Amino acid sequence: MMKVIPIVSGRTAAAHFAGGPLVDTRARGMHDLRISVTDRCNFRCVYCMPRETFGADHPFLPYSAILSFEEITRLARIFVGLGVQKIRLTGGEPLVRRQLHRLVAMLAELGVEITLTTNGSLLAKQARLLKQAGLHRVTVSLDSLDDATFRAMNDADFPVARVLEAIDVAAAEGLTPVKINMVVKRGVNDDDIVRMAEHWRGTGHILRYIEYMDVGSSNGWRMDDVIPSAEVVRRISARWPLEPVDANYTGEVAERWRYVDGAGEIGVISSVTQAFCATCTRMRLSTEGSLFTCLFAESGHDLKALLRGGASDDGIRNEIAAVWQRRADRYSEIRTEQTAKLRKVEMSYIGG
Ligand code: SAM
């Protein structure tokens, strides 16, 4: 049985967490930690970091404000002690953070699965070092195979060919299975749904279609722009029949489908049309050390102040446990066109 003894810590009512299963107010465990290692990105994807908001004068975080590799590793160790089994490095673009392989090597010592989500632009050069440091797998974002569409969506004039090359290099280095994330936006890249399926079928890589979400406050999201996953599955099935596959584990984000002809599987991530809040076991650590218990949160919990204020590991552990025990988030279950307008924190800051 878990014991919770409220103590007043000054900033929040912290608790003494005495072990046992750590669950939130909806009985969800804490298994996955996403760490944003930088709020910077070399792409300006129109649905994530639109140039109008993230222009040349955007105030990105100064180096002194962001967590060091040592600080990240210390927190990660505490999270693992509380039950985290999987760590995903993300951003911003994680590979723009210098020497990221050093962080991977430090985290690899914790003995949990380490993965990375990247736009692939800097991956070919770093794949070997990352693998040697202990990275298990990569997820590469790729929204289109059409060069003009892809360049328009990343708004950095970055060619498709270089991302395809990076995927090959990552696979050759054993960062497998490579997952490929495609955000689908109606009228922008939905022509690519079937083309992407055709390209990745039979490669062993897993293509995942993501419903366009109202993350942050700057992408001008409208429900009309969302292509429901059910439609994605229908369009692909009309060409190559698909059948559902059981989830690998409870709380898996992507719903799995496999080609009846044996050419592998795809995933669909339906945060908008089939919310999966009920099984969400994720938390996010922002670049500057704030803890967010939901991708759509408006504010986080400052762990950097604890780290830099001399708190003990036990003190930090109790604070994290208390945050999780109070967690009641279920944004995707209550999303409307109105909630979409709330001032939510940007995805590049808390980590995608
Ligand atoms: N820079 C890395 C990348 O491109 O993969 C990691 C960060 S990015 C924020 C993580 C993932 O979030 C990417 O696959 C991206 O396509 C996805 N994403 C960003 N904005 C989104 C949105 N509005 N709706 C759905 N997915 C989004």
Side-chain angles (χ1 to χ4, degrees):
M1 253 313 264
M2 182 169 60
K3 266 191 254 149
V4 181
I5 306 165
I7 343 165
V8 175
S9 75
R11 288 181 327 111
T12 56
H16 171 70
F17 176 65
L22 176 61
V23 290
D24 70 5
T25 61
R26 303 182 77 205
R28 298 170 293 193
M30 184 177 84
H31 298 142
D32 313 76
L33 175 64
R34 299 199 174 181
I35 302 175
S36 175
V37 295
T38 176
D39 59 337
R40 292 164 199 255
C41 187
N42 52 348
F43 283 12
R44 285 291 175 274
C45 296
V46 289
Y47 53 77
C48 186
M49 294 181 76
R51 222 170 254 289
E52 310 83 71
T53 306
F54 295 91
D57 54 353
H58 182 77
F60 287 104
L61 294 167
Y63 193 71
S64 59
I66 73 177
L67 295 188
S68 67
F69 289 169
E70 288 71 21
E71 287 171 325
I72 291 174
T73 306
R74 182 175 168 208
L75 286 179
R77 180 172 288 112
I78 295 171
F79 278 107
V80 169
L82 282 167
V84 162
Q85 295 156 10
K86 182 169 154 192
I87 294 177
R88 174 173 299 281
L89 300 178
T90 178
E93 170 48 42
L95 297 183
V96 304
R97 178 107 185 229
R98 289 179 58 199
Q99 307 259 312
L100 192 76
H101 63 277
R102 278 191 45 235
L103 175 64
V104 171
M106 290 159 79
L107 295 175
E109 303 214 334
L110 303 177
V112 296
E113 189 182 14
I114 315 283
T115 64
L116 171 89
T117 303
T118 173
N119 61 28
S121 60
L122 303 168
L123 180 60
K125 276 198 202 113
Q126 300 188 36
R128 177 159 298 174
L129 272 179
L130 290 165
K131 176 70 184 175
Q132 286 168 349
L135 187 71
H136 293 106
R137 290 189 295 101
V138 286
T139 297
V140 181
S141 303
L142 177 64
D143 297 324
S144 177
L145 288 170
D146 177 75
D147 201 51
T149 307
F150 183 62
R151 286 180 196 251
M153 287 184 83
N154 66 53
D155 200 13
D157 209 23
F158 199 85
V160 174
R162 299 233 338 249
V163 180
L164 295 178
E165 180 205 333
I167 292 171
D168 286 347
V169 173
E173 292 297 342
L175 292 165
T176 50
V178 176
K179 293 188 180 166
I180 294 150
N181 276 358
M182 171 181 175
V183 175
V184 185
K185 198 170 169 193
R186 190 181 297 281
V188 176
N189 64 338
D190 54 317
D191 280 354
D192 279 279
I193 292 173
V194 173
R195 203 171 349 183
M196 283 282 276
E198 180 166 38
H199 187 92
W200 299 109
R201 270 167 49 83
T203 60
H205 306 330
I206 302 173
L207 173 60
R208 297 161 358 138
Y209 297 88
I210 307 182
E211 286 178 352
Y212 169 50
M213 298 183 288
D214 53 328
V215 292
S217 322
S218 59
N219 69 3
W221 182 88
R222 293 177 323 139
M223 188 65 206
D224 287 352
D225 295 332
V226 178
I227 303 245
S229 294
E231 185 178 331
V232 170
V233 170
R234 242 189 339 267
R235 287 200 204 179
I236 299 170
S237 263
R239 179 93 176 265
W240 303 284
L242 289 165
E243 60 190 7
V245 188
D246 287 344
N248 285 310
Y249 53 89
T250 314
E252 190 171 26
V253 175
E255 185 184 282
R256 300 169 64 204
W257 292 81
R258 82 175 144 233
Y259 293 105
V260 172
D261 66 7
E265 69 176 74
I266 61 156
V268 289
I269 300 179
S270 324
S271 158
V272 178
T273 62
Q274 285 170 292
F276 38 81
C277 303
T279 54
C280 176
T281 56
R282 283 170 293 288
M283 53 167 49
R284 291 176 154 83
L285 183 62
S286 78
T287 314
E288 57 178 341
S290 272
L291 186 60
F292 290 82
T293 54
C294 178
L295 176 57
F296 302 94
E298 290 167 60
S299 62
H301 307 267
D302 185 4
L303 297 184
K304 185 173 68 181
L306 294 178
L307 280 173
R308 298 194 180 170
S312 66
D313 283 4
D314 265 357
I316 297 173
R317 177 171 170 272
N318 288 338
E319 184 78 22
I320 295 170
V323 167
W324 190 265
Q325 286 171 319
R326 287 198 299 270
R327 177 184 191 245
D329 309 290
R330 50 189 285 267
Y331 177 82
S332 291
E333 291 179 352
I334 55 169
R335 169 188 291 107
T336 61
E337 294 268 357
Q338 292 315 310
T339 61
K341 294 185 189 123
L342 294 171
R343 279 215 70 76
K344 296 177 255 79
V345 73
E346 294 297 334
M347 194 174 191
S348 50
Y349 169 79
I350 56 171

